[in-house]
Amino acid sequence: MERDTALGGPGGRFPVTRASIVLSLRSDDEAERRRACERLASLYWKPLYKYVRIKWNRSSEDAQDLVQGFFAAALERETLAPFDPSHESMRTFLRLLVDRHASNRVKAAGRKKRGGGTVALDFEAAERELARVASSSPDPEELLRREWVRALFGDCVARLREELPGAGRELQLRVFEAMDLEDADARPSYRELAERLGVTETKVTNDLSAARRRFRV
């Protein structure tokens, strides 16, 4: 199975799409499948949008319509259920589906406008981000890979910030943020962080390991 390793990731191994989402895509419960698809859309619409803009040379409006149409079609036709993580990554699976969808749309004369779908998509923000890299003519697949990793990273960090304090493990979160989210030049040593938090170095290393394990789940 392909692993997303660009941009590193805490502990040197980056998480893949959560297993619970993959399982839900195959559920017999239509509502559960829909929630899983909506979750995928909320995570990955931006990488796919930027990929479509570059790979298929679409205008912003065309790319918005195509990506919204892709996720709407995925919901309607249950096209995401066949995903098998033992054969390919979710990134590769969705990229192939998006390319097929884009190819079909290009072949069809004209465009059929769709609604915004079930997930709020901030295309203006995506355009501002894309403008910063578009002048360098990035490779579409490399751009998708990097944006995919960025989306996964942000989702995993947000999950830790929600879960750990509620589970009485706020210290784990503080250690994780200091050691893995700070810029390299601002990152403390284990000893400095232990002194700052009033705990032992062993406590710091144990909590960091625990938070990194949770980050990768």
Side-chain angles (χ1 to χ4, degrees), residues 4-10 14 145-151 153:
D4 287 310
T5 56
L7 304 187
F14 204 84
R145 183 180 67 84
R146 291 185 63 83
E147 291 297 322
W148 193 272
V149 169
R150 203 177 304 279
F153 189 95

Side-chain angles (χ1 to χ4, degrees), residues 87-99:
H87 292 159
E88 60 189 341
S89 70
M90 178 63 76
R91 186 180 80 242
T92 297
F93 178 71
L94 287 185
R95 177 177 59 79
L96 292 174
L97 289 181
V98 165
D99 279 341

Side-chain angles (χ1 to χ4, degrees), residues 172-183:
Q172 286 185 15
L173 178 62
R174 293 178 65 187
V175 170
F176 176 83
E177 290 177 333
M179 301 305 296
D180 284 340
L181 301 186
E182 288 284 357
D183 292 336

Side-chain angles (χ1 to χ4, degrees), residues 121-196:
L121 309 181
D122 188 355
F123 287 110
E124 290 186 4
E127 276 297 305
R128 289 193 296 271
E129 294 169 9
L130 187 59
R132 291 196 287 267
V133 300
S135 60
S136 63
S137 301
D139 175 74
E141 293 191 19
E142 174 62 16
L143 176 65
L144 175 62
R145 183 180 67 84
R146 291 185 63 83
E147 291 297 322
W148 193 272
V149 169
R150 203 177 304 279
L152 273 173
F153 189 95
D155 179 62
C156 291
V157 169
R159 176 167 51 86
L160 282 188
R161 285 173 169 162
E162 180 180 349
E163 290 182 359
L164 292 183
R169 290 177 285 179
E170 186 170 355
L171 186 61
Q172 286 185 15
L173 178 62
R174 293 178 65 187
V175 170
F176 176 83
E177 290 177 333
M179 301 305 296
D180 284 340
L181 301 186
E182 288 284 357
D183 292 336
D185 57 358
R187 194 171 300 154
S189 66
Y190 289 131
R191 175 177 295 180
E192 289 170 339
L193 185 57
E195 291 176 353
R196 182 192 305 172

Side-chain angles (χ1 to χ4, degrees), residues 16-27 29 31-37 39-40 43-44 83 85 90 155 159 163 214 216-217:
V16 295
T17 301
R18 226 171 294 168
S20 60
I21 298 177
V22 174
L23 290 175
S24 293
L25 290 173
R26 303 171 183 162
S27 173
D29 184 337
E32 184 176 353
R33 289 197 307 272
R34 177 174 291 273
R35 285 193 296 270
C37 185
R39 183 67 179 127
L40 283 179
L43 275 172
Y44 301 137
F83 172 64
M90 178 63 76
D155 179 62
R159 176 167 51 86
E163 290 182 359
R214 186 58 191 158
R216 299 178 190 127
V217 172

Side-chain angles (χ1 to χ4, degrees), residues 3 38 103 203 205:
R3 298 286 180 177
E38 291 173 355
S103 178
K203 175 66 172 172
T205 57

